[in-house]
Amino acid sequence: MRLQAASPLEMLRLTRFPPQWRRPPAAGVPAKNVGFRKVASGVSSLGSASPRSLNIFDRDLKRKQKNWAARQPERIKFDYLKEEVGSRIADRVYDIARDFPLALDVGCGRGYIAQHLNKETVGKFFQTDIAENALKNALEMEIPTVSVLADEEFLPFRENTFDLVVSSLSLHWVNDLPRALEQIHYVLKPDGVFIGAVFGGDTLYELRCSLQLAETEREGGFSPHVSPFTAVNDLGHLLGRAGFNTLTVDTDEIQVNYPGMFELMEDLQEMYGNEDGSVPATYQIYYMIGWKYHDSQARPAKRGSATVSFGELGKINDVMSQGKKSQ
């Protein structure tokens, strides 16, 4: 699916609900029905690196960047992508025919998912983020919420706490994605569900190709200018490794036509621009759904228990008719 807009600001019209503001919630307020746990010995503090991961991202710098962004007076002009992806995750929550008394948003930002949910579906919503300013400037929502300052890789909640965990785009910047998914699985109740979104490998391919062409022409080679992405084939493996089952992974694309780029990139418009002078940018989004095991969940039949072979699939109607006559 491609969404066209004349400018980033017009992307705001794609969101399903008009953004509103409320008084800043108090960060770190515990709820009576949620247990917090101490971080295990040897686990790094907020913003620090995971001891077992390759530290590509400076988490402390990322926290400062998010805090700076949340303080900008016209932040709403630049949140169109987060708003849209948040609404699509909320749609996936509504697709599940049940309610969720207790839910958690990992890396919530300013609440881009919660604002699209209602209190008939979610009873209470915990929002965690590494940036305190994002929590203080959360968007208006009708669900009772609790804000907790926490790193995606070090969730401070006890095992089997939440019925639903969601995450929109924040897992892209963690250094240890397997650990983050394990933490999410740990805090989910049995038969709880995780719904998340991360950037796909084709995100900003127009910009990356342009930069590579320009740098190769001028420097004889090129360097990476965009953060690395998780391959779609790896997501299922990572979810399974973290303990999730009944997995679903799908992909979507959102294209935005920007009116221009910074003066430093004017020459790139000649290489990868539209006829009207605008510059396209495609965001590929991977959506993932995984469930925590419970005895009530449907399971595959035992190997060898099939009563019809693949060779008989072409005659499946005849086989079903014979079965009905014999009953």
Side-chain angles (χ1 to χ4, degrees), residues 148-163:
V148 178
L149 190 66
D151 193 299
E152 292 93 336
E153 296 181 27
F154 310 108
L155 299 179
F157 305 104
R158 291 178 182 171
E159 186 177 16
N160 304 330
T161 297
F162 296 98
D163 306 281

mmCIF file of all heavy atoms in Angstrom, residues 148-163:
data_model
loop_
_atom_site.group_PDB
_atom_site.id
_atom_site.type_symbol
_atom_site.label_atom_id
_atom_site.label_comp_id
_atom_site.label_asym_id
_atom_site.label_seq_id
_atom_site.Cartn_x
_atom_site.Cartn_y
_atom_site.Cartn_z
ATOM 1 N N VAL A 148 6.165 4.921 32.792
ATOM 2 C CA VAL A 148 7.323 4.375 33.495
ATOM 3 C C VAL A 148 8.570 4.627 32.649
ATOM 4 O O VAL A 148 8.614 4.253 31.478
ATOM 5 C CB VAL A 148 7.167 2.866 33.762
ATOM 6 C CG1 VAL A 148 8.403 2.316 34.458
ATOM 7 C CG2 VAL A 148 5.916 2.590 34.583
ATOM 8 N N LEU A 149 9.573 5.249 33.228
ATOM 9 C CA LEU A 149 10.835 5.480 32.544
ATOM 10 C C LEU A 149 11.639 4.186 32.553
ATOM 11 O O LEU A 149 12.035 3.700 33.617
ATOM 12 C CB LEU A 149 11.606 6.604 33.251
ATOM 13 C CG LEU A 149 12.840 7.146 32.551
ATOM 14 C CD1 LEU A 149 12.467 7.851 31.255
ATOM 15 C CD2 LEU A 149 13.602 8.087 33.474
ATOM 16 N N ALA A 150 11.852 3.588 31.379
ATOM 17 C CA ALA A 150 12.531 2.294 31.311
ATOM 18 C C ALA A 150 13.110 2.074 29.928
ATOM 19 O O ALA A 150 12.596 2.590 28.930
ATOM 20 C CB ALA A 150 11.569 1.153 31.661
ATOM 21 N N ASP A 151 14.176 1.302 29.861
ATOM 22 C CA ASP A 151 14.823 0.934 28.606
ATOM 23 C C ASP A 151 14.122 -0.289 28.020
ATOM 24 O O ASP A 151 13.680 -1.177 28.752
ATOM 25 C CB ASP A 151 16.303 0.616 28.870
ATOM 26 C CG ASP A 151 17.117 0.533 27.594
ATOM 27 O OD1 ASP A 151 16.803 -0.333 26.757
ATOM 28 O OD2 ASP A 151 18.069 1.314 27.438
ATOM 29 N N GLU A 152 14.032 -0.341 26.693
ATOM 30 C CA GLU A 152 13.377 -1.479 26.030
ATOM 31 C C GLU A 152 14.049 -2.814 26.347
ATOM 32 O O GLU A 152 13.400 -3.859 26.327
ATOM 33 C CB GLU A 152 13.372 -1.286 24.511
ATOM 34 C CG GLU A 152 12.481 -0.163 24.017
ATOM 35 C CD GLU A 152 13.210 1.149 23.866
ATOM 36 O OE1 GLU A 152 14.254 1.324 24.547
ATOM 37 O OE2 GLU A 152 12.766 2.003 23.085
ATOM 38 N N GLU A 153 15.349 -2.783 26.629
ATOM 39 C CA GLU A 153 16.080 -4.024 26.885
ATOM 40 C C GLU A 153 16.042 -4.440 28.349
ATOM 41 O O GLU A 153 16.451 -5.542 28.686
ATOM 42 C CB GLU A 153 17.536 -3.876 26.438
ATOM 43 C CG GLU A 153 17.695 -3.666 24.943
ATOM 44 C CD GLU A 153 19.156 -3.542 24.529
ATOM 45 O OE1 GLU A 153 20.019 -4.100 25.240
ATOM 46 O OE2 GLU A 153 19.435 -2.887 23.518
ATOM 47 N N PHE A 154 15.546 -3.563 29.238
ATOM 48 C CA PHE A 154 15.557 -3.851 30.673
ATOM 49 C C PHE A 154 14.213 -3.478 31.294
ATOM 50 O O PHE A 154 14.109 -2.526 32.058
ATOM 51 C CB PHE A 154 16.697 -3.074 31.361
ATOM 52 C CG PHE A 154 18.026 -3.230 30.686
ATOM 53 C CD1 PHE A 154 18.585 -2.180 29.980
ATOM 54 C CD2 PHE A 154 18.719 -4.434 30.739
ATOM 55 C CE1 PHE A 154 19.810 -2.318 29.350
ATOM 56 C CE2 PHE A 154 19.939 -4.580 30.109
ATOM 57 C CZ PHE A 154 20.480 -3.529 29.407
ATOM 58 N N LEU A 155 13.178 -4.233 30.957
ATOM 59 C CA LEU A 155 11.840 -3.924 31.449
ATOM 60 C C LEU A 155 11.726 -4.267 32.935
ATOM 61 O O LEU A 155 12.042 -5.397 33.339
ATOM 62 C CB LEU A 155 10.795 -4.708 30.641
ATOM 63 C CG LEU A 155 10.761 -4.406 29.141
ATOM 64 C CD1 LEU A 155 9.699 -5.267 28.452
ATOM 65 C CD2 LEU A 155 10.495 -2.925 28.880
ATOM 66 N N PRO A 156 11.236 -3.347 33.764
ATOM 67 C CA PRO A 156 11.235 -3.549 35.213
ATOM 68 C C PRO A 156 9.960 -4.194 35.759
ATOM 69 O O PRO A 156 9.532 -3.874 36.868
ATOM 70 C CB PRO A 156 11.366 -2.101 35.725
ATOM 71 C CG PRO A 156 10.584 -1.309 34.736
ATOM 72 C CD PRO A 156 10.810 -1.983 33.388
ATOM 73 N N PHE A 157 9.362 -5.104 34.986
ATOM 74 C CA PHE A 157 8.108 -5.717 35.411
ATOM 75 C C PHE A 157 8.316 -7.205 35.689
ATOM 76 O O PHE A 157 9.205 -7.844 35.124
ATOM 77 C CB PHE A 157 7.031 -5.540 34.338
ATOM 78 C CG PHE A 157 6.809 -4.108 33.942
ATOM 79 C CD1 PHE A 157 7.299 -3.618 32.742
ATOM 80 C CD2 PHE A 157 6.119 -3.250 34.781
ATOM 81 C CE1 PHE A 157 7.106 -2.299 32.373
ATOM 82 C CE2 PHE A 157 5.915 -1.923 34.427
ATOM 83 C CZ PHE A 157 6.412 -1.446 33.218
ATOM 84 N N ARG A 158 7.434 -7.746 36.540
ATOM 85 C CA ARG A 158 7.544 -9.149 36.900
ATOM 86 C C ARG A 158 7.017 -10.048 35.784
ATOM 87 O O ARG A 158 6.294 -9.616 34.892
ATOM 88 C CB ARG A 158 6.782 -9.418 38.192
ATOM 89 C CG ARG A 158 7.428 -8.781 39.412
ATOM 90 C CD ARG A 158 6.610 -9.022 40.668
ATOM 91 N NE ARG A 158 7.198 -8.378 41.828
ATOM 92 C CZ ARG A 158 6.611 -8.273 43.006
ATOM 93 N NH1 ARG A 158 5.394 -8.774 43.171
ATOM 94 N NH2 ARG A 158 7.211 -7.664 44.012
ATOM 95 N N GLU A 159 7.357 -11.308 35.870
ATOM 96 C CA GLU A 159 6.932 -12.297 34.888
ATOM 97 C C GLU A 159 5.407 -12.439 34.904
ATOM 98 O O GLU A 159 4.765 -12.314 35.946
ATOM 99 C CB GLU A 159 7.594 -13.639 35.195
ATOM 100 C CG GLU A 159 7.337 -14.712 34.151
ATOM 101 C CD GLU A 159 8.083 -15.989 34.481
ATOM 102 O OE1 GLU A 159 8.536 -16.133 35.642
ATOM 103 O OE2 GLU A 159 8.228 -16.847 33.586
ATOM 104 N N ASN A 160 4.838 -12.700 33.716
ATOM 105 C CA ASN A 160 3.401 -12.975 33.577
ATOM 106 C C ASN A 160 2.521 -11.816 34.093
ATOM 107 O O ASN A 160 1.568 -12.034 34.841
ATOM 108 C CB ASN A 160 3.025 -14.264 34.311
ATOM 109 C CG ASN A 160 3.836 -15.448 33.835
ATOM 110 O OD1 ASN A 160 4.251 -15.511 32.681
ATOM 111 N ND2 ASN A 160 4.090 -16.383 34.734
ATOM 112 N N THR A 161 2.829 -10.611 33.667
ATOM 113 C CA THR A 161 2.111 -9.431 34.145
ATOM 114 C C THR A 161 1.064 -8.921 33.156
ATOM 115 O O THR A 161 -0.071 -8.615 33.545
ATOM 116 C CB THR A 161 3.098 -8.289 34.450
ATOM 117 O OG1 THR A 161 3.979 -8.691 35.494
ATOM 118 C CG2 THR A 161 2.353 -7.017 34.872
ATOM 119 N N PHE A 162 1.374 -8.857 31.855
ATOM 120 C CA PHE A 162 0.534 -8.151 30.893
ATOM 121 C C PHE A 162 -0.194 -9.111 29.946
ATOM 122 O O PHE A 162 0.345 -10.137 29.541
ATOM 123 C CB PHE A 162 1.377 -7.175 30.075
ATOM 124 C CG PHE A 162 1.988 -6.077 30.900
ATOM 125 C CD1 PHE A 162 3.303 -6.172 31.332
ATOM 126 C CD2 PHE A 162 1.238 -4.968 31.263
ATOM 127 C CE1 PHE A 162 3.867 -5.166 32.098
ATOM 128 C CE2 PHE A 162 1.792 -3.955 32.035
ATOM 129 C CZ PHE A 162 3.107 -4.053 32.459
ATOM 130 N N ASP A 163 -1.413 -8.701 29.587
ATOM 131 C CA ASP A 163 -2.201 -9.455 28.612
ATOM 132 C C ASP A 163 -1.800 -9.107 27.179
ATOM 133 O O ASP A 163 -1.987 -9.915 26.267
ATOM 134 C CB ASP A 163 -3.690 -9.153 28.795
ATOM 135 C CG ASP A 163 -4.156 -9.394 30.219
ATOM 136 O OD1 ASP A 163 -4.371 -10.565 30.565
ATOM 137 O OD2 ASP A 163 -4.295 -8.414 30.966
#
